[in-house]
């Protein structure tokens, strides 16, 4: 006999028949016995449970009658079942198997299962036993309450266990939705909350995951006066740090659009091989399916970590360097090529990948094999958890490489592929014809797919008849010719011949594009209209994507390039291509209302812009190369791609030959500025003088003044900005006036001239707003926000920084967004919201790391150190600050160094180490004086006062404190109340 309590009370015979228990008191008696799970219940307790205060005339006799009824009901249903209800000296017990016991057994076994799939299945089997709430028809009975609570707890634990197993299986999105209701029902269960947070985070909803933690934190604080457990807090912190252990975005591997035929065994073998070898290269002839196989392998192993596909043919051309390859790969991963670490792009990419278990698929390496090999070797050396899966027609030839030759499809797989792509049903009298075509095409997937496009027009028989004529080279070509020339060239010749001259011209000219092109570009560069492109798309020679955007398959593009040379059009079309993309950059509205859309368009054409520069450099066309880099300078500047821009200008300036003098001068100005933005601060005065000697435009003065701001060169910046402002105003350039005023406002704030900072900043904001320039608004609102901080108007500071954050996010300027988050963190810190400050600084830090922007990473981490010091966590604060000390000395210069030394000095003072504090503040005061910033000098003097007071040098300490107060008063910026902590402590020590 089976008893069910996981839902309404239920009794069934061993063969599954339902046993009715009609009398209400008898059902209550049965429920009471089952609720005690085989334990004895005294008779008087049963009487109390069943009747309470409404006792029958003879309670004991009535109870015996109900027990007798229950036994008779069970016996009638299944002979011998009456014995299940046992009479004991002082009561009764029911020795029965229930679904609750089955559930507990299954749940316990589930926890011991070795793999997540088995655990999830076993938990699901256990949970399927539940038909509703436990003891559903006795939910209000006091005797059932303890057992209901126990079973509910077991059920929740099983749900949590199944959720954790499903997380391991990657069922993130579905799980996030399913757990929402459970979390609402049980808001304080931290294990459930952790599973929900992980599901949200891994489903690409990190903001909701963090909000879920905040919801629990607030509930615990307000309702129970508690904090989240250390484990949950650690999970929250790992999500803020974008720690790979927390999950999150796992790469960019595309979804499978069409089935991959005949490669299942290869996928399994390669997935296993990647566990043994950190570099595996798929090599083989063009069109054999290396890319699709690599993508399938990446899809199969991405549960082990991140998986990223880097299509090198879409962004790099022959002649690219290892730095170019690193910059391109970083862009695919959503990172930035920027200044800061002191290493090159490969080193910065390695730093960003550090600590992450990732698979990098480097696709189509053959045209840039040498630089990609150097990049792969460096990354594998520096990033222990990295795996590289490369596709190439030749080995990369570096240590540790495992070559895996991708063979053509076997006969059965080739036939299945041709039939699937051509829409045929194998076996309907066409098996021999299909086999013949596949055999003649050597089972090469690309050849089969191209052939399938002709089946619709020619039929299998017509296609087979043409093979002797059109693919003669397939079987009778020169023996010493490479396989791709014996097969794929013949195949594409066959696809080429039916085209009319208009289609041929379009196809060969499309080959100059890198990463595809828009319809407008196809018309302007290739003379290809919509009708021609549609025809080529129908023939599978051109792939149409969203936009629409048109691109050629790898082998078709190589073939088109050969045909372009044969037609004698290569130089003319390349020049047309370069001029088109120069025009695209020239026309981009990067200083007005169209800024956001223009930046997006230029990002989409990064491959073509690089290809245009490569073509101009290889062709020795100095004028075209300089025009292109000058046109792109502002976009690189806005994106913060200082390293890439610097290299591009170096290449263009190195091209020999005649070039317009003004173009060359402008390029040298750009190059000088980008070199400084890239961290090269050597001989700044001389280099700026040389640049301005050739380029006296107001813009040149402004740009070079702007980039020098990072080094704190107040006097030179002031001179450059003044000349720029005069020049812009003389020619009525409102944007230029706003740009110069924004720089002057920032420098005035640094110099302590708050009135000028406010006036210039407000005027710049007004002019940039009239121009519709969001980047300009970013510059003005940052200075005005800092001014509000200095004067203690934190509400205004927060509003201005939030406005800047919105502008940065709209423009996709993520380094700028990182800075604004950290600025908001500083405001939260000043307002005493240390948790909010940490959250904002950590978000800013993660963005800066993603963008490889060391300066913004430094700014955000210093904010974390400030909060740690305010909490009294001196060791944590010092560890953060010391990480950046060397970088500040070498890269950031005096402004950052002065502040860092001041903070380290205060930490030493708080520890009572007078000698160390005095050394740090003395060095900090020298750095502050080098900047010329009065508030920096005042901060150093305040720190020196603290060190002197600790050393017992009271008179000197008092004088230092008074000097700091005078400096702040002279600057019109006395310390706001929120920043007086250190000064008040020191003053109190002095009495």
């Amino acid at each position: 006999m089976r008893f069910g309590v996981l839902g309404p009370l239920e009794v069934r015979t061993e063969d599954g028949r339902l046993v009715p228990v009609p009398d209400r008191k008898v059902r209550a008696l049965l429920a009471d016995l089952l609720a005690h799970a085989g334990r004895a219940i005294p008779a008087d307790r049963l009487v109390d449970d069943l009747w309470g205060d409404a006792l029958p005339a003879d309670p004991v006799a009535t109870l015996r009658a109900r027990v007798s009824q229950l036994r008779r009901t069970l016996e009638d249903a299944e002979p011998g079942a009456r014995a299940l209800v046992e009479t004991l000296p002082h009561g009764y017990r029911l020795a029965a198997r229930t679904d609750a016991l089955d559930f507990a057994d299954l749940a316990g076994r589930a926890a011991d299962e070795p793999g997540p799939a088995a655990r999830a299945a076993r938990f699901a089997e256990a949970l399927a036993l539940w038909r509703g709430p436990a003891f559903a028809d006795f939910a209000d009975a006091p005797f059932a309450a303890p057992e209901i609570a126990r079973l509910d707890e077991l059920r929740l634990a099983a749900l949590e266990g199944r959720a954790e197993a499903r997380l391991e299986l990657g069922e993130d999105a579905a799980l996030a939705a399913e757990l929402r209701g459970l979390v609402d029902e049980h808001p304080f269960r931290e294990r459930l909350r952790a599973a929900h947070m992980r599901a949200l985070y891994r489903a690409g909803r990190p903001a909701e995951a963090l909000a879920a933690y905040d919801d629990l934190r607030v509930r615990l604080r307000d309702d129970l006066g508690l904090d989240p457990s250390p484990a949950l807090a650690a999970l929250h912190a790992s999500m803020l740090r974008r720690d790979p252990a927390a999950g999150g975005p796992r790469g960019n591997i595309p979804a499978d659009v069409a089935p991959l035929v005949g490669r299942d065994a290869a996928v399994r073998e390669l997935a296993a091989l990647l566990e043994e070898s950190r570099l595996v290269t798929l090599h083989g002839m063009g069109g054999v399916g290396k890319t699709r196989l690599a993508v399938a392998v990446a899809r199969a192993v991405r549960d082990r970590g991140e998986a990223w596909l880097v299509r090198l043919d879409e962004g790099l051309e022959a002649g690219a360097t290892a730095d170019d390859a690193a910059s391109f790969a970083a862009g695919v991963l959503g990172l930035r090529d920027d200044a800061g670490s002191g290493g090159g792009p490969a080193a910065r990419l390695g730093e960003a990948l550090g600590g992450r278990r990732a698979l990098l698929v480097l696709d189509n390496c053959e045209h840039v094999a040498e630089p990609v090999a150097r990049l792969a070797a460096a990354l594998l050396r520096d990033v222990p958890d990295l795996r590289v899966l490369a596709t190439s027609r030749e080995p990369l030839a570096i240590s540790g490489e495992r070559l895996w030759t991708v063979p053509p499809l076997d006969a059965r797989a080739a036939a299945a592929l041709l039939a699937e792509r051509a829409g045929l049903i194998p076996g309907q009298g066409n098996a021999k014809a299909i086999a013949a075509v596949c055999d003649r095409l050597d089972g090469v997937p690309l050849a089969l797919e191209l052939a399938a496009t002709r089946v619709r027009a020619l039929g299998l028989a017509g296609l087979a008849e043409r093979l002797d004529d059109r693919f003669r080279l397939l079987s009778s070509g020169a023996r010493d010719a490479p396989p791709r020339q014996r097969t794929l060239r013949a195949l594409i010749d066959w696809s080429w011949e039916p085209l009319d001259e208009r289609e041929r011209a379009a196809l060969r000219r499309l080959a100059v594009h890198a990463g595809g092109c828009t319809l407008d570009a196809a018309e302007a560069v290739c003379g290809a209209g919509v009708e021609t492109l549609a025809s080529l798309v129908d023939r599978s020679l051109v792939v149409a994507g969203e936009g629409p955007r048109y691109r050629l398959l790898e082998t078709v593009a190589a073939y088109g390039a050969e045909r372009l040379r044969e037609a004698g059009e290569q130089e003319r079309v390349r020049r047309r291509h370069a001029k088109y993309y120069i025009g695209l950059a020239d026309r981009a509205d990067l200083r007005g209302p169209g800024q956001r859309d223009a930046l997006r368009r230029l990002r989409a054409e990064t491959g073509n812009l690089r290809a245009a520069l490569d073509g101009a450099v290889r062709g020795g066309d100095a004028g075209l190369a300089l025009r292109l880099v000058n046109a792109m300078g502002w976009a690189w500047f806005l994106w913060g791609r200082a390293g890439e821009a610097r290299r591009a200008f170096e290449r263009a300036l190195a091209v020999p030959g005649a070039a317009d003098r003004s173009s060359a001068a402008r390029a040298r100005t750009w190059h000088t500025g980008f070199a400084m933005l890239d961290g090269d601060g050597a001989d700044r005065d001389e280099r700026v003088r040389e640049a301005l000697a050739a380029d006296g435009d107001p813009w040149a003065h402004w740009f070079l003044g702007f980039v020098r701001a990072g080094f704190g060169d107040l006097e030179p910046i002031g001179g450059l900005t003044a000349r720029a402002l005069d020049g812009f105003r003389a020619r009525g350039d409102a944007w230029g006036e706003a740009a110069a005023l924004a720089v002057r406002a920032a420098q005035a704030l640094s110099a302590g001239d708050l009135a000028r900072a406010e006036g210039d900043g407000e005027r710049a904001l007004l002019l940039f707003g009239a121009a519709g320039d969001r980047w300009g608004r970013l510059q003005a609102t940052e200075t005005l926000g800092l001014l509000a901080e200095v004067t203690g108007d934190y509400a205004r500071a927060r509003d201005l920084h939030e406005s800047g954050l919105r502008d940065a996010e709209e423009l996709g300027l993520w380094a700028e967004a990182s800075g604004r988050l950290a600025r908001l963190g500083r405001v939260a810190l000043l307002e005493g919201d240390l948790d909010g400050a940490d959250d904002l600084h950590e978000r800013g830090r993660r963005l800066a790391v993603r963008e490889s922007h060391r300066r913004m990473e430094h700014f955000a981490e210093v904010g974390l150190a400030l909060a740690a010091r305010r909490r009294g966590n001196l060791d944590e604060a010092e560890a953060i600050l010391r990480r950046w000390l060397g970088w500040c000395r070498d890269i950031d210069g005096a402004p950052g160094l002065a502040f860092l030394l001041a903070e380290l000095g205060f930490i030493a003072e708080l520890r009572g180490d007078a000698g160390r504090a005095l050394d740090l503040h003395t060095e900090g005061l020298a750095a502050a004086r080098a900047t010329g910033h009065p508030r920096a000098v005042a901060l150093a003097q305040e720190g020196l006062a603290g060190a002197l007071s600790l050393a017992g040098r009271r008179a000197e300490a008092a004088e230092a404190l008074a000097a700091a107060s005078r400096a702040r008063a002279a600057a019109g910026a006395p310390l706001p109340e929120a920043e007086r902590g250190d000064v008040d402590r020191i003053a109190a020590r002095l009495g």
Side-chain angles (χ1 to χ4, degrees):
M1 181 118 358
R2 310 285 297 182
F3 297 85
V5 298
L6 303 181
L9 184 65
E10 186 179 84
V11 183
R12 290 185 181 273
T13 61
E14 286 298 331
D15 60 4
R17 287 182 295 107
L18 188 66
V19 178
V21 182
D23 184 270
R24 185 172 60 86
K25 289 297 182 186
V26 174
R27 285 181 62 79
L29 171 64
L30 176 59
D32 203 353
L33 292 167
L34 290 170
H36 285 77
R39 299 188 305 277
I41 312 176
D44 58 350
R45 173 67 180 274
L46 282 171
V47 168
D48 186 62
D49 287 347
L50 296 180
W51 287 283
D53 294 332
L55 292 174
D58 188 345
V60 174
T62 306
L63 175 62
R64 282 199 297 268
R66 295 294 183 265
V67 169
S68 179
Q69 283 179 263
L70 175 59
R71 284 172 171 158
R72 186 166 57 252
T73 298
L74 299 180
E75 184 70 16
D76 290 346
E78 196 168 82
R82 66 178 295 110
L84 294 174
V85 182
E86 300 175 4
T87 301
L88 302 174
H90 301 293
Y92 303 89
R93 68 185 291 268
L94 177 63
R97 184 75 186 178
T98 67
D99 53 3
L101 288 172
D102 292 340
F103 167 75
D105 288 348
L106 285 169
R109 287 157 56 194
D112 296 330
E113 290 287 353
R119 284 201 306 278
R122 188 72 72 185
F123 275 124
E125 184 183 356
L127 291 164
L129 295 174
W130 286 72
R131 297 169 286 108
F135 291 92
D137 35 6
F138 295 93
D140 296 326
F143 66 78
E147 183 66 356
I148 290 173
R150 185 184 74 86
L151 291 173
D152 283 348
E153 176 61 29
L154 289 176
R155 178 172 177 267
L156 281 170
L159 285 166
E160 289 163 341
R162 186 175 68 147
E164 289 163 355
R166 291 174 64 193
L167 278 171
E168 291 185 58
L169 295 171
E171 298 177 20
D172 309 319
L175 197 57
E178 292 175 23
L179 293 180
R180 173 74 260 182
L182 276 173
V183 168
D184 289 343
E185 255 187 273
H186 307 280
F188 295 109
R189 287 190 70 89
E190 293 202 357
R191 185 182 176 194
L192 184 63
R193 183 79 68 157
H196 188 224
M197 286 170 62
R198 288 185 187 277
L200 288 167
Y201 190 83
R202 295 178 181 183
R205 296 156 65 183
E208 293 175 62
L210 297 173
Y213 176 87
D214 285 339
D215 174 70
L216 174 63
R217 181 176 59 80
V218 171
R219 284 175 183 264
L220 285 171
R221 182 195 65 199
D222 294 347
D223 294 354
L224 304 176
L226 299 174
D227 291 322
S229 69
L232 198 65
L235 174 62
H236 175 251
S238 73
M239 290 177 176
L240 288 174
R241 291 192 308 271
R242 197 69 177 272
D243 190 327
R250 303 181 68 81
N252 67 338
I253 302 303
D256 198 4
V257 176
L260 180 62
V261 178
R263 300 295 195 196
D264 291 347
V267 169
R268 290 192 297 271
E269 181 180 343
L270 285 164
L273 187 58
L274 279 169
E275 282 295 294
E276 304 169 10
S277 303
R278 297 182 57 217
L279 170 62
V280 176
T281 299
L282 305 184
H283 78 121
M285 62 186 296
V288 81
K290 301 184 292 294
T291 297
R292 290 206 65 203
L293 178 57
V295 168
V297 173
R299 197 179 295 120
V301 304
R302 61 184 169 187
D303 61 327
R304 305 173 190 172
E306 303 173 35
W308 297 92
L309 173 63
V310 181
R311 297 184 185 272
L312 297 169
D313 59 323
E314 293 186 358
L316 296 178
E317 286 202 346
T321 66
D323 281 347
D324 293 332
S327 294
F328 179 71
V332 172
L333 271 67
L335 308 173
R336 281 169 54 113
D337 175 7
D338 213 305
S341 70
R348 290 193 284 271
L349 178 59
E351 287 174 6
L353 285 169
R356 296 159 64 173
R357 183 168 173 81
L359 171 67
L360 206 58
V361 181
L362 299 177
D363 184 41
N364 293 309
C365 298
E366 52 270 1
H367 65 300
V368 284
E370 184 178 344
V372 169
R374 291 202 302 272
L375 172 62
L379 290 175
L380 289 167
R381 181 186 64 239
D382 296 337
V383 187
D385 285 330
L386 179 68
R387 299 287 191 275
V388 174
L389 179 60
T391 73
S392 180
R393 295 182 189 176
E394 60 187 82
L396 294 184
I398 59 177
S399 299
E401 181 181 33
R402 288 288 296 271
L403 287 178
W404 201 92
T405 302
V406 181
L409 295 173
D410 62 35
R412 177 179 295 180
L417 176 62
L418 179 62
E420 194 273 334
R421 298 295 193 264
L424 302 171
I425 302 175
Q428 295 188 349
N430 56 16
K432 287 187 178 180
I434 290 175
V437 171
C438 293
D439 182 59
R440 296 294 301 279
L441 295 180
D442 294 327
V444 176
L446 179 59
L448 295 169
E449 297 207 16
L450 291 172
T453 66
R454 291 300 182 194
V455 171
R456 292 188 292 273
L458 302 174
L460 276 172
L463 176 63
E465 289 171 3
R466 291 172 65 87
L467 288 178
D468 285 336
D469 186 32
R470 297 301 176 189
F471 294 101
R472 188 167 297 140
L473 290 177
L474 200 66
S475 57
S476 60
R479 291 179 182 272
D480 60 347
R484 63 186 174 86
Q485 292 180 353
R486 294 202 305 266
T487 56
L488 291 180
R489 179 172 175 78
L491 177 59
I492 301 175
D493 275 337
W494 164 81
S495 299
W496 170 271
E497 189 162 326
L499 303 179
D500 60 33
E501 184 51 40
R502 185 171 45 111
E503 293 166 335
R504 290 183 179 185
L507 187 61
R508 65 177 179 254
R509 292 167 186 167
L510 282 168
V512 302
H513 290 93
C517 65
T518 63
L519 175 59
D520 181 67
E523 290 175 332
V525 177
C526 310
V530 174
E531 186 178 340
T532 303
L533 289 169
S535 176
L536 293 172
V537 169
D538 287 343
R539 289 178 163 86
S540 296
L541 291 168
V542 173
V543 178
E546 290 184 13
R549 194 167 181 86
Y550 302 95
R551 66 178 182 88
L552 301 182
L553 297 174
E554 173 191 341
T555 308
V556 177
Y559 181 89
E562 288 187 14
R563 289 292 189 178
L564 193 65
R565 288 192 293 273
E566 289 173 8
E569 294 183 332
Q570 185 179 34
E571 290 308 314
R572 179 166 58 86
V573 174
R574 283 195 179 278
R575 282 185 64 82
R576 191 186 300 166
H577 173 270
K579 287 179 179 178
Y580 175 82
Y581 287 101
I582 289 171
L584 186 73
D586 276 335
R587 293 189 304 273
D589 180 14
L590 294 176
R591 297 181 182 177
Q595 201 170 49
R596 180 186 63 179
D597 293 338
L599 285 169
R600 287 178 177 172
R601 281 195 298 274
L602 290 177
R603 274 196 197 95
E605 300 299 351
T606 297
N608 280 311
L609 290 160
R610 286 176 176 155
L613 178 59
D614 288 341
V617 171
R618 286 202 308 271
D621 193 328
L624 207 58
L626 290 172
R627 282 184 60 201
L628 180 56
V629 292
N630 283 333
M632 279 299 294
W634 191 247
W636 284 324
F637 174 73
L638 294 181
W639 287 328
R641 295 181 184 170
E644 178 182 353
R646 180 183 187 178
R647 293 190 298 275
F649 278 100
E650 283 171 358
R651 293 182 67 199
L653 287 165
V655 178
D660 178 75
R661 291 181 63 183
S662 64
S663 293
R666 179 51 50 92
R668 290 191 184 94
T669 301
W670 276 119
H671 179 259
T672 300
F674 279 123
M676 286 190 282
L677 287 172
D678 202 28
D680 181 1
D683 303 320
R684 297 191 294 277
D685 291 335
E686 180 61 28
R687 287 156 61 194
V688 167
R689 278 195 298 271
E690 289 177 1
L692 292 176
D695 186 356
D697 188 87
W699 172 87
H701 287 84
W702 169 82
F703 176 58
L704 294 172
F706 182 95
V707 299
R708 293 196 71 166
F711 299 94
D713 302 335
L714 283 181
E715 186 175 343
I717 296 166
L720 290 166
T721 305
R723 286 191 290 276
L725 184 57
D726 290 343
F728 284 133
R729 282 174 171 167
R731 66 187 189 193
D733 185 340
W735 183 94
E737 180 182 354
L741 286 171
V743 173
R744 195 169 76 172
Q747 297 312 304
L749 180 61
S750 296
D753 188 346
L754 304 192
R756 167 166 276 193
E758 182 174 21
D760 285 350
E762 292 289 358
R763 176 65 178 163
L765 184 60
L766 180 67
L767 291 172
F768 277 133
D773 189 314
R774 291 187 178 187
W775 173 84
R777 287 195 326 213
L778 273 170
Q779 310 313 303
T781 55
E782 179 174 32
T783 298
L784 292 170
L786 285 172
L787 178 61
E789 287 180 39
V790 169
T791 57
D793 189 351
Y794 302 135
R796 174 166 166 73
R798 184 169 50 254
D799 288 345
L800 287 164
H801 293 322
E802 285 176 347
S803 171
L805 177 60
R806 287 192 296 273
D807 281 333
E809 289 175 339
E810 280 289 313
L811 293 173
L813 304 181
W814 301 112
E816 296 278 6
S818 166
R820 296 314 177 275
L821 284 166
R823 289 287 181 206
L824 287 165
R826 293 295 200 273
V827 174
L829 191 70
L830 293 169
E831 292 179 323
D833 181 4
L834 300 187
D835 289 342
D838 279 351
D839 178 58
L840 288 160
H841 282 124
E842 179 59 28
R843 287 167 60 194
R845 187 198 68 81
R846 284 185 287 116
L847 257 186
V849 169
R850 193 190 79 181
E851 297 294 299
S852 299
H853 201 295
R854 292 284 282 175
R855 198 174 298 279
M856 292 303 183
E857 184 184 354
H858 160 252
F859 185 56
E861 285 214 354
V862 167
L864 292 170
L866 293 175
R869 182 162 83 85
R870 291 199 175 204
R871 287 190 176 95
N873 299 334
L874 301 185
D875 291 346
E876 179 185 348
E878 183 179 25
I880 294 172
L881 295 169
R882 288 203 172 277
R883 278 205 299 269
W884 291 97
L885 198 54
W887 181 84
C888 279
R889 295 186 195 280
D890 297 340
I891 301 292
D892 196 44
L897 180 60
F899 187 79
L900 213 61
L901 290 167
E903 281 298 309
L904 287 167
F906 282 128
I907 290 171
E909 180 221 326
L910 287 166
R911 285 182 172 142
D913 188 343
R916 182 64 181 149
L918 196 58
D919 290 344
L920 288 163
H921 284 305
T922 300
E923 184 185 356
L925 181 58
R929 283 175 171 154
T931 70
H933 299 177
R935 286 185 298 109
V937 172
L939 178 64
Q941 289 171 325
E942 289 157 358
L944 196 59
L948 290 166
S949 70
L950 194 64
R953 297 159 64 178
R954 297 172 60 83
E956 294 171 79
E959 175 52 35
L961 206 58
S965 180
R966 289 193 298 271
R968 290 190 183 277
L975 270 177
E977 189 62 33
E979 298 184 57
R980 292 194 57 84
D982 291 318
V983 170
D984 289 346
R985 181 184 70 254
I986 295 163
R989 185 183 297 140
L990 291 172

